[in-house]
Amino acid sequence: MPITAVTGAASGIGAALCQQLRDAGHDVIGIDRANSDINVDLSTPAGRQQAVSEVLERCNGVLDHLVLCAGVGVTAPSCGLILAVNYFAVSSLLDGLAEALGKGSQPSAVVVGSVASVQPGADKQPIVELMLAADEAAALDAANQANNPSMAYAGSKYAVSVLVRRQVHEWAKRGVRLNVVAPGVVETPLYQASTEDPRYGEATRNFVAPLGRGSQPGELAEVIRFLLSPQASFIHGTVLFTDGGMDAMVRPSRF
Ligand code: NAI
């Protein structure tokens, strides 16, 4: 049975995914701050390194699937933290586990992005170039200076999607498919906290998908499982919006 490592395993989308994978017989290695198989703080280089080492130990250096789901939203204590978890933890774990995935069976990795990545102006921010240049100190500093959680979040999700798309050749050479799932609204603690935020609550509540509802974590988990599976054997480097039509609503003529 496949061995799958999942970050953000203790809550929301990650928890739903772990449950579905375990029900399907996968060997799951959950990673989160607490209540998981590997308990680490992915906002720090030391925590990321520990996560990589412990995953490699548990899977004996051969990993079939990796899902990077851990994330923080606009209510995070600082904008730097948003970049540290949503971008730098993802890039570190992709780098640190790429070789083990290359030895896996029909290997595949999925990064959880967001429809926020298409928010106007998300791509034009200086923090995006700093993230993609792997300059963590400068990126976190710039994000904290700008102190705009919504743009920090959108920028982190845009940058992580670009990171994936820039690596299509490298990962294909290793034989590993790598994709992004971009959710819209998912009824999780992260979303709930955003709806109650004094600055963003009203806008968050009013941003409703054409399908007229938010999604359940299990609906995202199903899509991630599809991307991991052999049924998705020719999908590589794509950003799969799973957002009830939000992306199409925001930018109907761009895709
Ligand atoms: P959630 O808050 O239910 O789960 C996120 C998990 O990440 C938590 O278990 C949390 O402990 C973990 N995490 C956060 N910081 C961490 C750290 N420093 N070290 C280790 N683990 C850490 O949130 P949800 O909604 O399930 O989010 C999962 C992903 O989906 C995130 O990347 C989020 O940005 C993304 N997303 C969520 C949307 C939503 O509407 N809920 C919409 C679009 C994207």
Side-chain angles (χ1 to χ4, degrees):
M1 271 301 169
I3 304 185
T4 306
V6 180
T7 70
S11 177
I13 301 168
L17 176 67
C18 289
Q19 189 59 54
Q20 288 187 13
L21 289 170
R22 287 192 171 114
D23 290 349
H26 286 230
D27 198 346
V28 178
I29 307 171
I31 305 159
D32 209 303
R33 276 183 296 214
N35 305 317
S36 225
D37 302 310
I38 300 175
N39 298 309
V40 291
D41 180 358
L42 292 171
S43 71
T44 68
R48 296 166 200 154
Q49 188 49 53
Q50 191 186 334
V52 168
S53 305
E54 287 197 32
V55 169
L56 292 175
E57 203 174 299
R58 282 169 185 259
C59 72
N60 288 322
V62 182
L63 187 63
D64 302 309
H65 301 143
L66 172 65
V67 181
L68 299 171
C69 196
V72 291
V74 293
T75 62
S78 77
C79 289
L81 186 68
I82 296 175
L83 272 54
V85 179
N86 296 5
Y87 183 85
F88 288 102
V90 171
S91 63
S92 297
L93 267 66
L94 286 176
D95 289 347
L97 295 171
E99 196 185 325
L101 282 161
K103 296 177 188 160
S105 163
Q106 298 182 303
S108 173
V110 172
V111 171
V112 178
S114 171
V115 75
S117 59
V118 307
Q119 187 173 311
D123 53 339
K124 300 284 189 297
Q125 309 177 75
I127 54 168
V128 167
E129 282 316 313
L130 293 170
M131 282 185 268
L132 290 168
D135 192 342
E136 182 165 3
L140 269 54
D141 193 42
N144 284 330
Q145 293 286 330
N147 194 24
N148 185 330
S150 172
M151 290 306 281
Y153 183 78
S156 73
K157 294 299 189 179
Y158 174 77
V160 94
S161 307
V162 173
L163 176 78
V164 163
R165 291 169 66 79
R166 282 187 180 170
Q167 296 192 28
V168 278
H169 279 299
E170 196 183 323
W171 282 66
K173 274 188 213 142
R174 253 184 225 120
V176 187
R177 292 184 302 102
L178 175 61
N179 292 290
V180 177
V181 167
V185 168
V186 195
E187 307 282 356
T188 67
L190 184 153
Y191 175 73
Q192 186 61 36
S194 311
T195 64
E196 292 162 3
D197 184 75
R199 243 196 299 185
Y200 300 114
E202 196 180 348
T204 305
R205 290 192 300 273
N206 290 339
F207 192 50
V208 178
L211 283 186
R213 64 174 179 89
S215 59
Q216 294 304 309
E219 295 181 274
L220 270 298
E222 295 280 3
V223 174
I224 294 169
R225 286 204 302 138
F226 164 68
L227 284 177
L228 294 178
S229 75
Q231 281 72 40
S233 55
F234 207 57
I235 304 184
H236 180 49
T238 211
V239 179
L240 182 48
F241 289 92
T242 307
D243 61 357
M246 273 180 172
D247 173 45
M249 175 174 78
V250 172
R251 39 166 217 172
S253 56
R254 289 189 53 218
F255 46 87

